[in-house]
Amino acid sequence: MSTVTRSTRASRIAMIGGGLLLLVLAAAPYWAGRADMRLMSEIYLYLSLATLWNLMAGYAGLVSVGQQAYVGFGGYMLFALTIFGGVHPVVAVLLGGVLAALLSIPIATLAFRLKGAYFAIGTWVIAEVFRLSFAQIQALGGGSGSSLPVAIVKEIGAKKAVREANSYWLALGAAVIIIAAVYAFLRSRRGLALTAIRDSETAASGLGIDIWRTKLEVYVVTSAFTAIIGGLIFLQKLRISPDAAFSVNDWTAFVIFIVVIGGIGTLEGPIIGTLLFFLLREVLADFGTTYLLVLGFVAIVVMLKAPKGVWGLIRERYDLELFPLSYRVRTKD
């Protein structure tokens, strides 16, 4: 007798282990130092960005090198809404995501006219337009940027320890929500359509899947969540400037590196890639620009020797799937 299932023993063990790990991480403000909490918060935020970019590029085929546009937009909306609108910082972060979703619709209508490398270059140009535009807004500091007023900072927490704990929980919560949301989406009918588009747009179109609409949905959702993460990033930094907010190096190049070495088109890939990226960064932190050279060398080696990333090698060798998306036939005696 045979049954069709998605879950495996490895995925069930991973779910239990992940739940226990999440409890330990949630309690970090009670056992970790401030420097450790800041590092872990940064890991969560990069993991969120990598998961979102992976959904867009690895599944929808939208290889964007301009997602820093939404990181910066979310950061600037945080500053604008709190300083001029009197909005609570957390609410401002969420509103920034809503505004980014609305803004991404006309941008997608324009960008989707481009294909392949032209689309990638087009998204970078759009991000540069964002950077130059916000650099002209003198009320937000112009080219030099601005800092959050002390009164707004204290809305996050009256004491520094409370603010750091709240910022940490926001970053952790965002990462968990994004991974869970992407996993749920990929297991849904819309996710199945997206997987079909990834495998073959021609075949997907023949099955009646609206490719343009599906890609638009993914682009809008990823843009909204990316802006929310951008708001959280600069809520921790407490200062923003056009060059920092719209940095292609910090918010796109590193994210692409994470996804590529981890394994594009998988949920496990961004997790593995984020851990490897921060391991390399911490080990090579004292070597200056050599650090960037090593990152480039690692990326080239992985692309040549393991095109599916580190997780792709692990999955092929051990047939592991911690986030089960594919169906398996299980035979019972």
Side-chain angles (χ1 to χ4, degrees):
M1 181 178 179
S2 300
T3 58
V4 179
T5 182
R6 279 179 169 174
S7 64
T8 63
R9 175 181 293 180
S11 66
R12 290 191 291 270
I13 294 174
M15 184 176 296
I16 295 172
L20 295 175
L21 177 61
L22 181 59
L23 291 176
V24 173
L25 294 177
Y30 302 105
W31 56 263
R34 290 180 175 178
D36 295 329
M37 286 174 54
R38 284 193 291 271
L39 176 60
M40 287 190 289
S41 295
E42 192 177 2
I43 291 174
Y44 305 148
L45 294 171
Y46 265 97
L47 173 58
S48 299
L49 291 176
T51 301
L52 293 169
W53 191 87
N54 180 55
L55 174 65
M56 189 170 62
Y59 288 92
L62 299 171
V63 182
S64 169
V65 293
Q67 287 307 97
Q68 68 271 17
Y70 297 104
V71 174
F73 180 82
Y76 268 103
M77 287 303 99
L78 164 69
F79 277 66
L81 292 171
T82 53
I83 294 174
F84 304 116
V87 180
H88 189 277
V90 176
V91 177
V93 168
L94 297 176
L95 287 176
V98 174
L99 294 173
L102 296 174
L103 183 62
S104 68
I105 296 174
I107 290 176
T109 303
L110 174 63
F112 282 12
R113 296 176 181 270
L114 306 172
K115 302 295 181 182
Y118 296 103
F119 173 81
I121 295 172
T123 56
W124 175 76
V125 172
I126 291 170
E128 284 300 293
V129 171
F130 272 60
R131 183 182 67 83
L132 294 173
S133 299
F134 278 98
Q136 306 308 312
I137 303 177
Q138 295 302 320
L140 291 173
S144 59
S146 62
S147 301
L148 275 179
V150 176
I152 294 175
V153 174
K154 288 186 176 181
E155 291 185 39
I156 309 170
K159 297 181 179 180
K160 186 175 181 179
V162 175
R163 290 196 297 272
E164 290 180 343
N166 289 339
S167 296
Y168 173 85
W169 282 322
L170 286 171
L172 176 60
V176 172
I177 290 172
I178 287 173
I179 293 174
V182 171
Y183 179 51
F185 175 76
L186 291 176
R187 285 176 64 98
S188 68
R189 294 182 63 183
R190 303 300 295 173
L192 185 61
L194 189 62
T195 303
I197 293 173
R198 179 194 64 180
D199 294 339
S200 174
E201 288 195 11
T202 303
S205 179
L207 293 172
I209 297 173
D210 190 334
I211 295 176
W212 193 91
R213 180 179 176 180
T214 303
K215 288 188 175 184
L216 176 64
E217 290 174 353
V218 172
Y219 186 81
V220 171
V221 171
T222 54
S223 298
F225 277 110
T226 299
I228 290 174
I229 298 302
L232 292 177
I233 288 171
F234 290 98
L235 184 61
Q236 291 191 348
K237 293 181 179 294
L238 303 179
R239 178 171 177 78
I240 196 169
S241 67
D243 290 340
F246 301 100
S247 171
V248 65
N249 193 52
D250 290 340
W251 314 128
T252 297
F254 288 156
V255 168
I256 293 175
F257 172 83
I258 287 170
V259 176
V260 168
I261 65 170
I264 192 169
T266 66
L267 275 172
E268 299 88 349
I271 299 175
I272 299 294
T274 301
L275 295 176
L276 290 175
F277 170 72
F278 277 90
L279 177 62
L280 288 172
R281 198 186 75 170
E282 294 302 306
V283 170
L284 302 173
D286 297 329
F287 291 90
T289 55
T290 305
Y291 152 65
L292 297 176
L293 294 175
V294 172
L295 289 185
F297 176 76
V298 171
I300 292 172
V301 170
V302 170
M303 285 187 288
L304 291 176
K305 300 297 184 180
K308 294 182 180 180
V310 174
W311 179 252
L313 286 177
I314 296 173
R315 185 172 61 178
E316 288 181 358
R317 182 167 183 177
Y318 300 103
D319 193 27
L320 284 177
E321 197 173 19
L322 304 182
F323 292 91
L325 296 174
S326 57
Y327 288 97
R328 296 166 180 259
V329 177
R330 180 180 298 170
T331 303
K332 294 182 179 180
D333 295 330

